Amino acid sequence: METSERGTTPAGNAAEAVDARAADDCRGPGGPACTGRGRPGVPLRVTLALGALTVVVGSTVLALGSPSRDPFLAAGDTAAGSYLATRADGDQAAAAVLAGPYKERPAPPVTARPGGGRAAPLPASRPLVAVPAAPSPPIGALFSPGDDGDPTHHCTASVVHAPAGDLVVTAAHCVHDGGFRTRLVFAPGLHDGIAPYGLWVPTRIHVDPRWISDRDPDHDVAFLRVRRSGRADGRIEDLTGAERIRFDAPAGRPALLTGYPVDRDSPVSCRHTADAQGPTQLRFPCPGFPNGTSGGPMLTDLDRATGTGSLIGVIGGLEEGGDDLTSYSCRFGADVAALYRRATSEPGPRPAQPGSRAAVDGVRPRAAPRS
């Protein structure tokens, strides 16, 4: 028997199962992003590279054609690790999502601010498996729609507090896979085909250049500055609230992990401890986080009043998130703190309002950026 990320597969059918998953998860140029949790077998990017080879079988030369270039990838600034998104790409991507089975239906904004209540207990889930959970306003699904009319979400992301109130965090492999994804849409609080807090698209994407150069699993984190699709103003944090971000958190703490499976419009979650997997990674041993949950937040110290918590990781890192039994995250240390500072150093849509700042654990307050 061979174990796949969706369960146990008979050895004789392992190759067929992997091929079927590849066909489902990656439908070619213009289709859903070929990202998500790590896949068993040969990595997809290696498989695609083989397509450019010329193979000699006996006396016959087989010229294997190169795959078509994805039209929704861009190089961006590889030295800085950033991409400045265009307004047209964002609005077209949001329109593609709304052309499918998804609708915007406004919900009341979240009024309570993080840090106002006592920490909720986080006993380990029993049984220890991810189960369906109620949507949380700051957590949502991340789409990368193409032109095939099938806007399936491929990853998970969450709103994290920032001075400008416009910051979203996810895994780097969700937004940069051979190039920056130019068509990304975030739907916070998504449920039952409804986007209750609207659709949000990036204005700028930030990853560590070491992710771009060699997909270093210790840098599998991305921050996105976002705007409301079709609008010039508004801050996502004012509608959804935000998770606090914490750096250098000790391992072994109780945590809540949440993600949106690719085939569900509602999240799953699990409570367990975020254990150390060496000095640079965290491991979260709980089954039930399939493809689509990459980028999902790992939270400690949940606020009873708001349900928000301290963000200490996102599903990613080793094996680009792990398998169906264990999820990973790179540890949020000095490098991720530097990336956060870079992402928040540029002017946002408008200045933060007095009293709207929440705690950012482990980061000294910074002066508002100059225009």
Side-chain angles (χ1 to χ4, degrees):
M1 306 286 282
E2 292 186 8
T3 301
S4 77
E5 65 182 358
R6 297 186 186 276
T8 303
T9 304
N13 296 329
E16 290 86 349
V18 170
D19 289 344
R21 282 195 301 275
D24 288 340
D25 294 341
C26 181
R27 301 172 188 171
C34 303
T35 55
R37 297 173 63 85
R39 299 181 178 85
V42 180
L44 179 65
R45 59 184 179 277
V46 175
T47 305
L48 292 179
L50 295 176
L53 296 178
T54 299
V55 179
V56 178
V57 180
S59 60
T60 303
V61 177
L62 302 179
L64 302 182
S66 299
S68 301
R69 182 181 180 278
D70 192 324
F72 302 127
L73 291 179
D77 185 340
T78 57
S82 65
Y83 173 70
L84 182 62
T86 70
R87 179 169 291 274
D89 280 342
D91 290 343
Q92 288 170 9
V97 172
L98 293 176
Y102 298 96
K103 306 298 179 186
E104 292 183 287
R105 187 175 298 165
V110 175
T111 56
R113 293 293 178 185
R118 295 180 300 163
L122 284 174
S125 296
R126 293 290 182 268
L128 188 60
V129 62
V131 296
S136 175
I139 303 171
L142 188 65
F143 295 79
S144 183
D147 288 333
D148 60 356
D150 185 16
T152 304
H153 47 84
H154 69 288
C155 277
T156 304
S158 55
V159 183
V160 64
H161 173 69
D166 65 348
L167 195 64
V168 170
V169 63
T170 187
H173 73 257
C174 291
V175 302
H176 188 285
D177 190 12
F180 285 96
R181 303 297 307 185
T182 62
R183 295 180 68 165
L184 291 168
V185 182
F186 176 54
L190 182 72
H191 67 87
D192 305 310
I194 302 299
Y197 302 100
L199 299 180
W200 298 77
V201 296
T203 58
R204 189 180 289 272
I205 303 172
H206 294 272
V207 301
D208 194 293
R210 285 166 286 191
W211 172 261
I212 295 176
S213 62
D214 60 5
R215 300 179 73 87
D216 186 334
D218 291 342
H219 301 287
D220 194 2
V221 180
F223 291 102
L224 287 64
R225 301 286 293 269
V226 298
R227 64 174 176 84
R228 185 77 175 263
S229 171
R231 302 187 185 181
D233 59 357
R235 301 167 8 129
I236 190 170
E237 189 170 332
D238 291 338
L239 287 179
T240 65
E243 315 294 353
R244 305 176 300 277
I245 191 165
R246 180 171 183 178
F247 303 105
D248 297 320
R253 303 197 65 199
L256 175 72
L257 192 63
T258 301
Y260 276 78
V262 71
D263 58 351
R264 297 175 60 98
D265 283 341
S266 57
V268 297
S269 68
C270 182
R271 301 183 307 272
H272 198 36
T273 55
D275 300 320
Q277 178 74 21
T280 61
Q281 296 278 326
L282 293 172
R283 65 188 299 269
F284 192 94
C286 179
F289 288 94
N291 283 352
T293 58
S294 280
M298 187 180 294
L299 302 172
T300 63
D301 303 319
L302 260 65
D303 190 316
R304 287 179 183 269
T306 65
T308 58
S310 294
L311 181 76
I312 62 170
V314 296
I315 297 177
L318 288 176
E319 301 175 8
E320 296 189 359
D323 54 29
D324 192 49
L325 300 178
T326 304
S327 299
Y328 298 101
S329 170
C330 61
R331 298 188 72 166
F332 280 17
D335 289 337
V336 177
L339 183 63
Y340 172 86
R341 291 190 179 101
R342 173 157 65 87
T344 57
S345 65
E346 300 162 352
R350 59 185 175 87
Q353 299 300 309
S356 67
R357 294 200 57 167
V360 181
D361 300 334
V363 177
R364 296 178 64 85
R366 295 172 59 88
R370 294 182 179 178
S371 299

